[in-house]
Amino acid sequence: MLVSVRDTQRAKVYDAEQLVRGMFDRADEHGSRTVELYGSHLTLPIERRFASVASVQSYADKVLALNWVRAQWDRAGTAVRVRSRAGTAAAHYEAADAVLAVPLHTGGRAWALRELVVLHELAHHLESAPGSVAPHGPEFCARYLELVDGVIGPEAALVLRATMLGCGVRLG
């Protein structure tokens, strides 16, 4: 019998991510990558954007093939399949079949076809024992932050970590 673990941090994690995605969006819109975070000035790295399921699939395959990712997480050796998702509300990960589902362009927006969202879903994929801990608990947050740090860059991870803490997220 599979016991479901309560996901008490989900809303807080999503709130933090929305704030961080907004920072990256504003940096792109204004052409200035410098942001102020708790009195410090940081230069945000470029966050990759994707045009299609195929480009997300290629990116996910490359992230899972990174030597340090394979050394850190056994599940990196398990391929993930990317598919389009109906609806626009959320991307999600289906552990049973190792599927990452992302909404595509809707109404001129492609909010989920971006690196932060794909890394979030890959952090779910890399969980060693799916269902044994809360989906957005401290263990997930640690994996997600490590991926963001190693793939996008330490500045992006710092912004995400500080924002998560500011939203009351417990980190592992």
Side-chain angles (χ1 to χ4, degrees), residues 87-107:
T88 60
H92 71 265
Y93 176 70
E94 301 162 3
D97 298 319
V99 172
L100 193 161
V102 291
L104 300 179
H105 296 83
T106 304

Side-chain angles (χ1 to χ4, degrees), residues 4-5 8 16 23 32 47 49 55 68 76 81 84 88 91 124-125 145-146 159 169 172:
S4 178
V5 179
T8 59
M23 290 176 77
S32 172
E47 179 195 13
R49 305 294 177 111
S55 61
W68 66 270
R81 184 176 66 86
S84 64
T88 60
H124 285 302
H125 173 70
L145 286 165
E146 194 165 341
V159 168
V169 174

